[in-house]
Each structure stands twice: as C-alpha cells, then as structure tokens.
Amino acid sequence: MGKLKFKIIPSKHAEANELLKIQKEAFHSDLIKYKDYHTSPATESLDYFFFRMQNSLHYSIFVDGRLAGGICLVKQAKDHNYLYRIFLGSEFQNKGLGSKILQELERQFPKVKKWSLDTPKDNRRNRHFYEKFGYKKTGEQQVNEYLTLINYEKIL
C-alpha cells in the first residue's frame, strides 16, 4: 500500500450519518470497557451529532477520496483549541495517519498556540501517541468507576 493521501475539510450536513457510523465503530470497544453510556461517542444520537457539527469546528477526514473519520474542535480562546474528538474508521487506523492529521491541524490553525484534549488514563496507546506528539499531562478527572480521563495540553 502506497502513501495514503488525506485531506481535512469542514464536514457537510450530508456526511453526518456516515460520520456517526464511523465514530460509533471507532469507540465501540471503549463503550464496552468503560460503560460510560451517557458520555460515550459510541452512544451519541444523530440529533446530538448534528448539534455538535453546528456548534463546533467539525471536520471530515478523507483518505484516498473516502470518508475515513472526523475531528471536532471547540474554540476555547482566540489562541486555544480543545480537541474534543478525533476518530478514524478501523481500516484507516495504524497506518501513521494520526500524527500527519495532527500536524495538518496545527498547520491549518497558525494562530492557535495552545491545544488541549483528554483521553482515557488506561489507554496507553493514545497516551503514548499524544505524549510523543508533545502533549503534557495537566490533570485528570474520574467519569465513573471504570473511566478516568487524563487532561493534556500542548503549547506551541
């Protein structure tokens, strides 16, 4: 398989169904593990997905012309974006796309000097990925008895 070509463009309303399907698939195993039925991306309704699309910076990730995943950013300040969610369908995972996508996001928002996000404490892979990319742990919060989130931020 050659180099994957990807692009990040603002999500269109018409993509919501497909994006939600990919999101549910991407977070399904977390739902089983953490039993966070009220906050899991895997249980989100289409209505709420639409709401988020309209009230955040929502992007679609295309890989070789196919819809592969999504990104939801929430602007905290002029120079601070919160990476609320990023997801890729399973067939697009483990191909080195993640870091390229994060680099591209930073490039698309040159004014943003502070990025923040959170990820499950026991998800070593995610934590390693974000730490390798320059994110530093700033705190943690417990969601339920199974799930604790680590807060991260990166200052550029």
Side-chain angles (χ1 to χ4, degrees):
M1 195 165 135
K3 207 165 99 48
L4 291 170
K5 278 215 259 317
F6 75 92
K7 54 182 197 218
I8 300 171
I9 46 182
S11 298
K12 294 184 182 62
H13 236 77
E15 293 160 356
N17 266 311
E18 184 65 14
L19 280 169
L20 183 58
K21 221 166 68 193
I22 298 168
Q23 173 178 296
K24 287 183 170 190
E25 184 232 353
F27 288 97
H28 182 73
S29 58
D30 278 0
L31 175 65
I32 306 302
K33 185 174 178 183
Y34 301 123
K35 304 174 177 31
D36 55 333
Y37 302 106
H38 301 299
T39 59
S40 171
T43 58
E44 201 165 277
S45 70
L46 186 59
D47 281 350
Y48 190 69
F49 194 86
F50 271 133
F51 171 81
R52 263 194 323 95
M53 274 176 91
Q54 288 161 331
N55 292 279
S56 68
L57 301 166
H58 210 285
Y59 296 89
S60 296
I61 303 166
F62 286 87
V63 177
D64 290 340
R66 293 173 55 211
L67 185 56
I71 298 167
C72 178
L73 301 176
V74 180
K75 210 170 182 42
Q76 304 291 321
K78 202 164 69 247
D79 61 349
H80 177 196
N81 274 354
Y82 171 60
L83 181 56
Y84 179 75
R85 186 165 299 156
I86 181 168
F87 58 93
L88 278 170
S90 51
E91 57 179 306
F92 300 101
Q93 292 172 16
N94 308 313
K95 297 188 185 340
L97 282 166
S99 3
K100 292 193 180 79
I101 288 165
L102 286 186
Q103 275 164 327
E104 177 56 24
L105 270 184
E106 287 178 6
R107 215 181 53 75
Q108 283 192 20
F109 291 93
K111 288 192 174 71
V112 174
K113 299 303 174 210
K114 177 172 161 184
W115 289 84
S116 54
L117 58 90
D118 47 59
T119 198
K121 184 174 187 167
D122 65 359
N123 188 326
R124 302 226 179 285
R125 254 188 91 219
N126 274 10
R127 291 183 57 190
H128 176 73
F129 170 73
Y130 290 122
E131 286 165 12
K132 197 179 70 185
F133 204 72
Y135 281 82
K136 305 269 182 271
K137 179 180 170 178
T138 55
E140 54 183 73
Q141 76 229 42
Q142 194 170 356
V143 175
N144 63 27
E145 57 177 310
Y146 308 101
L147 176 61
T148 298
L149 292 173
I150 299 277
N151 311 110
Y152 280 103
E153 76 184 22
K154 178 178 182 176
I155 309 288
L156 296 176

